[in-house]
Amino acid sequence: MALLTDRELHELVDSLSRQHFHKPFQDQVQFNFRLRTTGGRYIPVKRVIELNPKYAAEMAGDEFIGIIKHELCHYHLHIEGKGYKHGDADFKKLLKQTGSPRHCTPLPSQPEYKYLYRCKDCGQEYRRMRRVNTGRYRCGKCRGRLMKAEGE
């Protein structure tokens, strides 16, 4: 999917809002190029939906539409004064009704992990984005010593 203009993005969000929630989307939606680990976010104070442009560029259209529907759940529940946070029952119920995803899938360009550690005793593997001090930490399964695995 090509990157949309601000007007096209607002029209897409408004059409999805009318189609799935039967209500218009009257506030602001924009791409936020600084988002890294999330597909989008809703800012209640400003009533703004921010979307990660990488999901529009790298993923299939269904994934990006799912992210928009998820953020619209936050938006409409907040406006109605209902529970709009992830743990609220109203939010979970609306996600189910609209077929919105609870979480987005990771981007293909985002690495799964950088470092791989293995327990010397039981062989349990630990994948980490950050380095681990092997002298300080032990295996959570058998309390054995950790070592850096080969082929990282």
Side-chain angles (χ1 to χ4, degrees):
M1 178 184 271
L3 206 57
L4 304 169
T5 65
D6 290 340
R7 185 180 187 91
E8 292 171 333
L9 183 62
H10 191 277
E11 288 172 2
L12 173 64
V13 172
D14 185 50
S15 69
L16 288 171
S17 180
R18 290 176 192 274
Q19 180 184 349
H20 295 282
F21 299 89
H22 312 292
K23 298 171 191 166
F25 177 75
Q26 299 172 330
D27 289 295
Q28 190 180 357
V29 62
Q30 62 195 24
F31 283 118
N32 184 342
F33 291 86
R34 291 171 290 139
L35 292 177
R36 289 173 167 247
T37 59
T38 184
R41 66 181 178 181
Y42 171 62
I43 304 171
V45 176
K46 297 179 183 178
R47 285 175 47 165
V48 172
I49 292 177
E50 295 183 340
L51 299 169
N52 188 338
K54 288 182 180 179
Y55 275 87
E58 293 182 26
M59 301 295 275
D62 293 341
E63 180 72 23
F64 187 62
I65 287 171
I67 292 167
I68 293 171
K69 285 171 32 180
H70 176 100
E71 300 309 325
L72 282 170
C73 289
H74 288 297
Y75 171 78
H76 287 298
L77 288 170
H78 175 251
I79 288 174
E80 293 170 8
K82 296 181 180 176
Y84 63 92
K85 296 180 181 174
H86 284 116
D88 295 332
D90 292 332
F91 181 73
K92 291 178 184 176
K93 184 180 172 186
L94 189 58
L95 281 178
K96 211 173 253 188
Q97 286 174 351
T98 58
S100 304
R102 185 145 164 87
H103 303 284
C104 55
T105 56
L107 285 166
S109 63
Q110 186 176 357
E112 197 174 320
Y113 64 92
K114 280 186 179 177
Y115 302 98
L116 179 64
Y117 297 93
R118 191 171 287 120
C119 175
K120 288 182 179 179
D121 297 339
C122 70
Q124 174 73 29
E125 288 186 351
Y126 297 93
R127 293 169 166 79
R128 296 290 180 266
M129 287 300 288
R130 295 182 178 181
R131 259 184 310 193
V132 172
N133 182 349
T134 56
R136 181 174 179 184
Y137 294 99
R138 297 290 192 121
C139 174
K141 193 174 177 183
C142 72
R143 308 291 300 147
R145 296 190 63 81
L146 297 177
M147 64 177 189
K148 202 171 182 183
E150 299 295 322
E152 292 178 51

